[in-house]
Amino acid sequence: MIMRDVAIVGVGMSKFGERWSSGLKDLMAEAGIAALEDANISSHEIEMLYGSTMASGRFVGQEHTAALMADQLGFHNIPAVRLENACASGGSALRQGYIAVASGIHDIVVVGGVEKMTDVTSGEASTALGGAGDQEWELFQGITFPGLYALMAKRHMYEYGTTEEQMASVSVKNHDNASKNQYAQFRRAITIDDVMRSKMVSDPLKLLDCSPISDGAAVAVLVPLEKAKKYNDTPIKIVASAQASDTLRLAERDSLTEIKATKIAAQNAYKQAKLEAKDIDVVEVHDCFSIAEILAMEDLGFYKKGKAAKAIADGETTLNSKLSVNTSGGLKGCGHPVGATGIKQAAEIVWQLRGDAKERQVKNAEVGMTHNVGGSGATAVVHIYKRAD
Ligand code: COA
C-alpha cells in the first residue's frame, strides 16, 4: 500500500560516452552536483542514497560505490546502499528510493547510477556484461549478450516476418534523437543503409543494432509530493513503480519473442497509475539492441505482438509522431553505462514533462514512462510519471 505520493525535484546527468579523462568519481560529481542544483537543495539535507553500478569491480576495480558516491557528493554519514540488478540497476535504485520516500522512512532520498566501462577492452566488457546472464548455462558455453538478443531477433523474424531493415529503423530513429541531445554519446544521424552495411556482431544484429560500451552517471532527488514545491516549481510525480523478474536462462522462458517480466511490470504499473498504454505521451524503453525496442513496444502494450517493427519502420514512434519513443536517443544513441541507464531514462522523462527538453521536446507531454531491463529480461522495471501541477 502506498503511504504517500513521491515526486522527483531534481535530475542531473554527465555527458555519456568514452570519457577517457574522467574517473568514476568525476562522473558521479558531474551528475550529482547538477541534480542537487536542479533541486535547489544542499548536500546536508540528503537522508539516504541508493547508488547503482552493475560491475564497477570488473570495469575499474572499485566496489563499495554507494558509500563512495555519498562521500563524493558530501552526504556525510547517511545510509548509502548499492543496488546491482544488471542493466536494470538504475531503475531498481529509483524504485527503492521511491519506496523509501513513499513509506515515510525518509523524506529526501538521492538515487544515483554510474558506470565506467571503457577502461577495459570490448572483450573484457563483454565478459563483465555476461554476468547478467546465467553463467553456467549461457556464458560459460560461449554466448554473449548480442548473441542472446540475436536468438530473440531470429525467432521474432521467424514468427512475425520482422526484417533486418525494420530493426535498423530503430537505430536510425534513436541516433536521430541523440543528435539533438547534448549528453548523448553519438550525436550523428545514420541511415538504414549504414546499419545494414555495419559489421556483423551476432547474426542478424550488426554493430549499429547494438548499444555501445559507455561511461556516464545520472542522479535524481526524490521527496514527498507535499513538500516538493519547496525545492522545484515543476515537480514530477511518480504515479507508478513496478518491477518483475523471470528466469535468467532464455532456454527456460515460455517464449523467445516476449519479455514476460516487462509485461507483468507494465500491467502492474498501469493498474497503479489507473492509466492505459494509450495515455502515455513519451516513453524511454530499454533498447540495448534494436530488437529489444521492438519487444518492449509490444510487451508494454503499445502494439500487438508482431506489429511493432512495421509501425516503427513506418515512423509511428519518431519524435512528435503517434508516440515519442527514446527521445534521449535511447541506449543506442545516448549510450548505455549500465548502472546509470535507468536513472538517465527518468531524467529524460522529467525534462520532457517539465518542457525542458529543448530541440527534442515532445509537444504537450503530460504522461511519461520508463522501462529498464536487466540482462536478457530476468528483471524489468517500469515507472510512470506525471506533471504534479
Ligand atoms: N554503435 C555505434 N558505433 C559503435 C558502437 C555502437 N554500438 N560500438 C562501437 N562503435 C564505434 C566506435 O565508436 C568506434 O568508432 P571509431 O572507429 O570511429 O572510433 C568503432 O565503432 C569501433 O569500436 P570498437 O570499440 O572497436 O567496437 P567493438 O567491435 O569492440 O564493440 C560492440 C562493438 C557492438 C561489440 C560493443 O559495443 C558491444 O558489446 N555492445 C553491446 C553492449 C552490451 O551488451 N550491453 C549490455 C546490453 S544487455
Side-chain angles (χ1 to χ4, degrees), residues 66-361:
L68 182 71
M69 187 181 283
D71 178 26
Q72 181 72 358
L73 296 178
F75 308 159
H76 299 303
N77 308 118
I78 63 162
V81 174
R82 173 174 165 177
L83 246 296
E84 187 278 301
N85 249 351
C87 306
S89 299
S92 302
L94 175 63
R95 181 166 153 74
Q96 291 310 308
Y98 168 85
I99 290 168
V101 176
S103 69
I105 289 181
H106 292 291
D107 267 358
I108 307 178
V109 174
V110 164
V111 296
V114 65
E115 210 79 60
K116 180 148 180 58
M117 303 167 74
T118 65
D119 282 3
V120 297
T121 64
S122 300
E124 288 166 331
S126 192
T127 304
L129 291 166
D134 187 311
Q135 271 297 331
E136 198 177 344
W137 288 98
E138 293 180 331
L139 289 310
F140 183 75
Q141 310 301 328
I143 199 157
T144 58
F145 262 87
L148 289 169
Y149 276 90
L151 289 172
M152 293 191 245
K154 280 280 184 195
R155 189 69 201 179
H156 207 275
M157 291 166 80
Y158 174 77
E159 284 187 28
Y160 302 109
T162 302
T163 66
E164 293 183 37
E165 286 80 1
Q166 287 171 340
M167 288 191 272
S169 69
V170 171
S171 302
V172 171
K173 169 182 70 67
N174 292 348
H175 267 251
D176 196 43
N177 290 342
S179 70
K180 302 178 175 69
N181 184 354
Q182 59 177 319
Y183 297 105
Q185 181 159 354
F186 299 118
R187 297 202 64 187
R188 65 185 159 94
I190 55 171
T191 63
I192 299 279
D193 209 35
D194 292 333
V195 184
M196 297 302 288
R197 285 165 189 258
S198 62
K199 73 176 174 186
M200 187 60 78
V201 174
S202 184
D203 184 25
L205 301 179
K206 294 165 270 304
L207 180 80
L208 293 176
D209 285 295
C210 303
S211 60
I213 308 288
S214 315
D215 306 326
V219 172
V221 183
L222 276 54
V223 303
L225 181 63
E226 69 211 22
K227 299 185 182 173
K229 289 254 167 141
K230 181 179 160 200
Y231 302 100
N232 198 308
D233 289 340
T234 47
I236 301 302
K237 182 178 170 188
I238 299 177
V239 292
S241 173
Q243 184 168 336
S245 57
D246 200 353
T247 68
L248 262 72
R249 287 185 290 292
L250 273 192
E252 290 191 7
R253 304 257 176 93
D254 296 339
S255 163
L256 280 185
T257 55
E258 69 170 28
I259 305 267
K260 198 192 217 171
T262 294
K263 284 179 104 166
I264 295 169
Q267 281 159 11
N268 288 337
Y270 289 130
K271 204 164 143 191
Q272 275 175 44
K274 299 188 178 61
L275 293 170
E276 297 173 33
K278 68 173 171 48
D279 299 315
I280 308 292
D281 300 311
V282 52
V283 57
E284 288 281 304
V285 304
H286 197 95
D287 59 319
C288 50
F289 299 96
S290 53
I291 183 64
E293 180 161 323
I294 293 166
L295 297 179
M297 296 312 292
E298 294 169 352
D299 297 334
L300 291 167
F302 297 117
Y303 292 97
K304 287 204 165 60
K305 208 28 87 184
K307 302 289 183 200
K310 181 175 182 305
I312 295 168
D314 287 348
E316 290 186 16
T317 61
T318 54
L319 190 62
N320 280 313
S321 55
K322 196 168 159 194
L323 171 66
S324 298
V325 180
N326 279 335
T327 55
S328 71
L331 285 55
K332 173 68 200 83
C334 189
H336 184 26
V338 283
T341 284
I343 299 171
K344 172 230 107 179
Q345 293 178 320
E348 175 67 10
I349 294 300
V350 166
W351 286 321
Q352 286 289 353
L353 298 184
R354 281 185 193 164
D356 285 345
K358 300 179 184 157
E359 263 188 278
R360 58 185 196 285
Q361 181 63 48

